[in-house]
């Protein structure tokens, strides 16, 4: 069984998507089977960074979360990579999150269950990377419920550290309620210019 890493910070613009995509590229280069889950309704990982927007508005990931389609069926190969796949997001994910907030239980285990189903199939992924949104707490909680680890990118500035504080409280709550085994893999400083 592979590992699942959520890339999260409750502050936007700190390099979550860049970190997620570069980590996928690195693992692909090392020969791993990798799945990138774009869990941000803006679809920044798929549309902006990879140039592979969800053609269905993100309905595929919503179907995977609902269990009506398999993750493997709606995932697409990432161009320029050997074996990495992406599960694209779009506006449909935002609508599904809104519905989830008003339902009992809120579908908080939908992503965990969808990923468990694909990992039970032949040729499971070695690593699954979840690119989390910055502010949608429902989607962040759902992603953290599915993750083994969380990696926290941040700028070395006050506003970003507040995002870490908010995320720390969220991780603590998730570990007490839905995912007691989640661990922080580390805090990753971004936009660091090395001294020469």
């Amino acid at each position: 069984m592979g590992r699942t890493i959520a890339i999260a910070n409750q502050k936007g613009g700190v390099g979550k998507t860049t970190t997620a995509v570069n980590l996928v590229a690195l693992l692909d280069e090392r020969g791993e089977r990798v799945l990138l889950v774009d869990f941000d309704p803006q679809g920044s990982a798929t549309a902006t960074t990879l140039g592979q927007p969800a053609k269905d508005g993100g309905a595929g990931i919503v179907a995977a979360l609902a269990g009506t389609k398999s993750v493997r069926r709606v995932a697409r190969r990432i161009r320029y990579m050997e074996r990495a796949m992406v599960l694209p997001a779009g506006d449909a994910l935002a609508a599904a999150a809104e519905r989830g907030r008003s339902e009992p239980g809120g579908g908080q285990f939908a992503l965990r269950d969808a990923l468990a189903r694909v990992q039970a199939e032949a040729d499971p992924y070695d690593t699954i990377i979840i690119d989390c949104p910055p502010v949608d707490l429902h989607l962040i909680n759902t992603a953290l419920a599915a993750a083994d680890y969380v990696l926290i990118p941040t700028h070395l500035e006050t506003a970003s550290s507040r995002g870490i504080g908010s995320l720390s409280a969220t991780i603590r709550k998730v570990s007490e309620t839905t995912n007691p085994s989640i661990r922080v893999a580390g805090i990753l400083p971004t936009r660091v210019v090395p001294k020469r």
Side-chain angles (χ1 to χ4, degrees):
M1 184 72 105
R3 63 197 165 188
T4 301
I5 305 169
I7 311 297
N9 187 329
Q10 286 180 233
K11 164 84 173 64
V14 295
K16 291 183 299 297
T17 297
T18 301
T19 298
V21 171
N22 281 294
L23 184 54
V24 168
L26 174 69
L27 295 172
D28 178 77
E29 198 171 89
R30 286 176 44 181
E32 290 197 21
R33 287 183 302 275
V34 191
L35 174 67
L36 171 61
V37 179
D38 188 348
F39 213 55
D40 186 343
Q42 293 180 34
S44 295
T46 44
T48 308
T49 307
L50 295 173
Q52 295 179 235
K55 295 176 183 172
D56 59 2
I61 193 171
V62 172
L65 294 173
T68 57
K69 288 186 180 176
S70 75
V71 166
R72 227 177 274 279
R73 184 172 170 201
V74 295
R76 299 189 333 225
R77 192 177 71 76
I78 298 176
R79 290 191 293 253
Y80 315 116
M81 296 189 199
E82 290 295 319
R83 43 192 79 69
M85 304 291 287
V86 62
L87 190 56
D91 294 340
L93 182 58
E98 190 60 42
R99 287 192 304 274
R101 278 187 276 276
S102 62
E103 294 172 2
Q108 59 191 341
F109 296 117
L111 182 59
R112 182 197 70 179
D113 294 346
L115 297 179
R117 284 190 296 271
V118 77
Q119 290 298 77
E121 297 173 3
D123 297 322
Y125 295 102
D126 298 305
T127 304
I128 297 172
I129 304 293
I130 306 170
D131 183 29
C132 296
V135 293
D136 189 318
L137 197 54
H138 176 75
L139 290 176
I140 294 169
N141 283 330
T142 303
L144 295 179
D148 302 308
Y149 303 98
V150 57
L151 178 63
I152 309 168
T154 185
H155 295 168
L156 301 177
E157 61 184 21
T158 305
S160 293
S161 64
R162 282 197 293 268
I164 293 173
S166 299
L167 183 63
S168 295
T170 301
I171 293 168
R172 193 164 36 254
K173 183 177 178 185
V174 165
S175 70
E176 291 169 356
T177 56
T178 59
N179 186 357
S181 63
I182 192 166
R183 298 288 177 263
V184 174
I187 295 173
L188 176 69
T190 56
R191 291 193 184 171
V192 175
V193 179
K195 289 185 178 178
R196 295 181 185 221

